[in-house]
Amino acid sequence: MLENIINQIESYNPNADVSVVAKAYNYAEMAHSNAQTRFSGERYFIHPYNVALILADLHVDVQTIAAGLLHDVVEDTGITYDDIKREFGEEIANMVDGVTKLSKVKYRNKEERQAESLRKMIIAMSKDIRVVIIKLADRLHNIRTLQYMPKEKQYQKAMETIEIYAPIANRLGIASIKWELEDLSLKYIDPEGYQDLLEKVQQKSEQRKDYISRIISVMQEKLSDAGIEADIKGRPKSLYSIYKKMYFKNRAFEQIYDLIAVRIIVDSIKDCYGALGTMHTLWKPIPGRFKDYIAMPKPNMYQSLHTTVIGPAGEPFEIQIRTLEMHRTAEYGIAAHWKYKEGIDEQTNYEEKLNWLRQMLEWQQETNDPAEFMETLKIDLYADEVFVFTPKGEVVNIPTGSTPIDFAYRVHSAVGNKCVGAKVNGRIVPIDTKLKTGDQIEILTSQSSAGPSRDWLKIAASSQAKSKIRKFFKERDKDFNVEKGKELVEREVKKQGYQVSDLLKDDWLKFVADKYSMFTANNLYAAVGNGGITENQIVNRLKLLYMEKNKDKIELEKIENLEKNTNITSKTPSRIEKHASGVIIKGIDNVKVRFSKCCSPVPGDAIVGYITRGRGVSVHRADCTNIHDLTDSEDQRFIEVEWDYGKKATFVSELQIKALDRPRLLQDLTALYAEAKLNAVSLNLRITKDRVAIVDIGFEINETKQIEDLMKKIKKLDGVLEVYRNKK
């Protein structure tokens, strides 16, 4: 296995020092030598071995391959970052650390964990882009072996791949990984659609083999006559790209023009344009289907000429023309930077190609809400580009839908802040004008400008511009936001039953500020004032510090509260008291009972009681994440509770159903719960951009069996992917 990796490295870099790879191989194999296995039953080391092979296929340097072999040892074994640093040096240790997920940190929910792990990876990417190349290789091998995972994990991992990792591969220009990630993910997101499409493409491919051979033969002859040496091959079309055109642009399979595609590799840029002219004399080009990515490369460094022509049988097909260097960049993207790194002094100037990454870092530091972070990340990764010109003729790429405001902030923050108007193609236009490829933009500025308007946040399309506008207001309004934030925090402290002096201690505020990378109490208050962090988040962290410092006092309060709310003396044995709520509380009389909305318990669920401050006993499901996240010092506030099955009370339980969008989905769901004689009290339906229907339905029930029986029936419906009880 080690020989396979070394042979692959030496095939593209004969001078490579492979000793570090051999050392990493042996170290990782030893670290994973325990009984740990993958879902497939294979020993775990098979995974880092395959990750290293994928990296070698990308022709990266030996340090990256060594880090690929070691990428899971910190996360899954007893080996630490310091151990890796001592054995392999800081460069490799930092790459391993950048790929390591935040599995040992407690988070409120799965979304927050995912957001923070991605945030960590993006920061690591900004220091060393090889971190994300390792992560992509890791994800690719996991997707290749996804069939061994449980069904619900398959869908979840496939969606995450299609929404996050495939777009990152695209942004880095690594087409070979992007296509495979997309096609394999589609297999688990829409298995029937994938299989149907695969059969159609294979059938058409078999029918067209002779046709493509004839086309290539004619091309070769004509290019040879023109004195152009070329390597010509048929190009397979990505299944996912066909799927997107069919389902998102409502096209029939027969309407996909570039199912047949031919790629021409030539020696020089001059030959690219010469070959294009030759092709256009052979067959008529389809208007509007020509793209020159050589003169205006994509942000991911992709360069090529694209044209679609009407072939000899009257059938359209696509032609791509590029040099060998352009082809290498199209396949390996940013990874091509390290291809021949060892032994060569000349370094490729690739820094400017990573502008999007620096922009992503700017706004991710401004965004503290996990849901907002994930949504903005997806928008930024998926954004198509338009190419516009400065008055001096320089090309600037900005997201589709951008306005002069986006362009101004793309040039410089100072230009955006002083913008008072814009000219597009020599004419003054409104600042909310949508820019198109080929437009020439001139920004009009004034030193007396008061700065941006808050309305600009609704007009700007790019996360970069929005981030810089928000930053302007934060800096300008900081004093006001500090006062406003302090007031909100103090109000929340009192609302939660504490004295301001109990929680707002200077050293505690400094500790919490450090946790949020804000470093001073004023910065923390300012963040609350401008809505970056909620006052509830701050007070909850301060409460944890208070509880840690006042364990004895809290224990005494608990005893006093119990004595105050019961009619028993120390000599009277505990008795069981029934409540009109349908819950029996052991040992307490005359206390309010309320059902927690975070987990919505119903009869049949395992439950636990929690003594709150001034609001009686809160009843939670035993598996509620809010209960499990409480600190040890709060464990003393739990109390035994059980259902009173003699009392018939009505409860609301909500289901969330994820299903492929299809006709009659709602009718089928309605028929099921009507048959079960359940009353629906709320219903919400939304369709994602991937055509997945998410349905939330609230039902009135008396016990869990009613909802469990309904869930079993729903799971059998055609196209249903997931069904579970919602935790509000």
Side-chain angles (χ1 to χ4, degrees), residues 197-437:
L197 190 56
L198 183 63
E199 289 169 8
K200 284 179 178 175
V201 169
Q202 286 175 342
Q203 185 181 4
K204 197 159 190 174
S205 177
E206 288 297 321
Q207 294 170 355
R208 306 293 168 77
K209 269 186 181 176
D210 291 340
Y211 180 69
I212 294 172
S213 296
R214 289 202 310 274
I215 288 173
I216 291 175
S217 178
V218 172
M219 286 179 165
Q220 200 79 62
E221 185 181 339
K222 287 293 180 182
L223 289 172
S224 182
D225 291 346
I228 298 172
E229 287 188 22
D231 179 21
I232 309 174
K233 290 178 182 172
R235 180 185 69 84
K237 182 72 177 172
S238 156
L239 286 177
Y240 185 68
S241 61
I242 301 170
Y243 182 89
K244 279 200 301 184
K245 288 180 180 177
M246 288 174 64
Y247 288 90
F248 300 152
K249 296 186 179 179
N250 294 317
R251 292 185 188 174
F253 180 74
E254 293 69 28
Q255 293 176 295
I256 310 295
Y257 291 142
D258 49 0
L259 280 174
I260 302 174
V262 177
R263 182 174 290 143
I264 302 174
I265 310 290
V266 295
D267 293 332
S268 66
I269 293 176
K270 177 185 172 185
D271 285 346
C272 288
Y273 290 99
L276 176 71
T278 303
M279 294 304 102
H280 283 181
T281 59
L282 264 176
W283 300 294
K284 285 191 181 298
I286 296 176
R289 297 282 298 171
F290 170 66
K291 295 184 179 70
D292 187 345
Y293 293 120
I294 293 179
M296 291 190 292
K298 290 185 178 183
N300 63 6
M301 305 179 293
Y302 179 86
Q303 287 185 288
S304 190
L305 297 176
H306 289 197
T307 186
T308 303
V309 298
I310 302 294
E315 188 162 359
F317 70 96
E318 186 185 60
I319 302 172
Q320 296 180 355
I321 308 170
R322 61 182 69 152
T323 66
L324 184 60
E325 187 59 37
M326 291 173 192
H327 180 61
R328 187 180 296 128
T329 300
E331 290 300 303
Y332 301 122
I334 201 72
H337 169 67
W338 289 278
K339 189 164 185 184
Y340 302 106
K341 186 176 177 183
E342 282 103 345
I344 294 180
D345 294 330
E346 186 179 340
Q347 293 291 314
T348 309
N349 179 21
Y350 74 103
E351 285 294 327
E352 64 189 47
K353 307 299 182 185
L354 295 178
N355 275 336
W356 66 273
L357 177 56
R358 282 190 286 273
Q359 292 164 20
M360 193 187 295
L361 267 175
E362 282 181 22
W363 60 253
Q364 70 87 15
Q365 287 164 351
E366 302 282 336
T367 309
N368 291 294
D369 177 64
E372 184 186 347
F373 173 83
M374 292 301 295
E375 193 57 34
T376 316
L377 176 62
K378 290 172 190 176
I379 290 168
D380 202 72
L381 288 173
Y382 272 104
D384 290 327
E385 306 278 337
V386 295
F387 299 88
V388 295
F389 295 90
T390 67
K392 293 182 179 179
E394 296 169 355
V395 179
V396 175
N397 58 289
I398 49 179
T400 300
S402 289
T403 64
I405 292 171
D406 296 284
F407 178 84
Y409 280 104
R410 177 77 169 77
V411 174
H412 198 278
S413 298
V415 175
N417 290 340
K418 295 296 178 183
C419 171
V420 292
K423 288 183 179 180
V424 175
N425 303 323
R427 298 176 60 187
I428 292 178
V429 298
I431 58 171
D432 60 354
T433 301
K434 304 291 184 195
L435 302 178
K436 303 185 297 295
T437 292

Side-chain angles (χ1 to χ4, degrees), residues 558 610 627 630-639:
K558 180 200 168 193
Y610 180 73
I627 290 294
L630 292 174
T631 61
D632 293 340
S633 63
E634 292 178 293
D635 284 347
Q636 300 155 345
R637 302 174 76 112
F638 290 121
I639 189 166

Side-chain angles (χ1 to χ4, degrees), residues 455-662:
D455 289 339
W456 288 12
L457 287 167
K458 299 173 186 173
I459 296 171
S462 65
S463 51
Q464 179 196 22
K466 290 179 180 179
S467 171
K468 289 183 175 180
I469 294 166
R470 281 194 289 263
K471 187 176 181 182
F472 171 86
F473 286 113
K474 283 179 185 178
E475 290 174 356
R476 191 193 70 178
D477 302 336
K478 186 170 181 182
D479 290 343
F480 170 78
N481 285 328
V482 168
E483 288 303 313
K484 180 182 174 185
K486 188 174 182 182
E487 184 183 329
L488 289 170
V489 169
E490 288 180 354
R491 190 185 303 162
E492 183 65 20
V493 168
K494 293 172 184 175
K495 181 180 170 185
Q496 295 203 25
Y498 291 85
Q499 296 293 323
V500 170
S501 58
D502 286 342
L503 299 187
L504 301 189
K505 300 180 187 298
D506 291 344
D507 54 337
W508 292 6
L509 286 165
K510 175 70 168 68
F511 177 82
V512 175
D514 289 344
K515 285 286 183 186
Y516 285 102
S517 301
M518 293 179 185
F519 311 114
T520 69
N522 276 355
N523 287 344
L524 197 64
Y525 285 138
V528 175
N530 63 45
I533 302 177
T534 67
E535 58 271 26
N536 186 263
Q537 287 175 280
I538 305 302
V539 174
N540 284 344
R541 282 191 177 270
L542 291 168
K543 275 168 58 181
L544 291 178
L545 291 170
Y546 176 85
M547 289 170 184
E548 184 63 32
K549 301 287 184 186
N550 295 276
K551 283 182 180 177
D552 295 340
K553 183 180 174 184
I554 291 168
E555 175 64 21
L556 183 62
E557 271 184 15
K558 180 200 168 193
I559 294 167
E560 289 173 349
N561 281 338
L562 282 171
E563 290 175 351
K564 188 180 186 179
N565 288 298
T566 61
N567 293 329
I568 60 173
T569 68
S570 57
K571 294 180 182 179
T572 308
S574 283
R575 58 195 173 86
I576 294 174
E577 181 64 31
K578 296 188 177 184
H579 288 263
S581 59
V583 169
I584 299 170
I585 299 178
K586 296 186 177 180
I588 297 184
D589 189 13
N590 297 330
V591 66
K592 286 193 298 183
V593 174
R594 65 187 188 89
F595 294 97
S596 171
K597 290 183 179 178
C598 61
C599 56
S600 301
V602 297
D605 288 333
I607 52 174
V608 64
Y610 180 73
I611 303 169
T612 65
R613 291 177 182 275
R615 290 182 293 169
V617 173
S618 174
V619 178
H620 293 257
R621 278 164 50 182
D623 62 353
C624 177
T625 53
N626 287 342
I627 290 294
H628 289 293
D629 288 345
L630 292 174
T631 61
D632 293 340
S633 63
E634 292 178 293
D635 284 347
Q636 300 155 345
R637 302 174 76 112
F638 290 121
I639 189 166
E640 286 187 65
V641 294
E642 63 184 52
W643 295 107
D644 177 6
Y645 288 103
K647 171 91 179 162
K648 278 292 179 185
T650 301
F651 300 83
V652 174
S653 183
E654 189 175 275
L655 289 186
Q656 182 163 103
I657 300 126
K658 290 185 180 177
L660 297 175
D661 184 28
R662 64 171 176 82

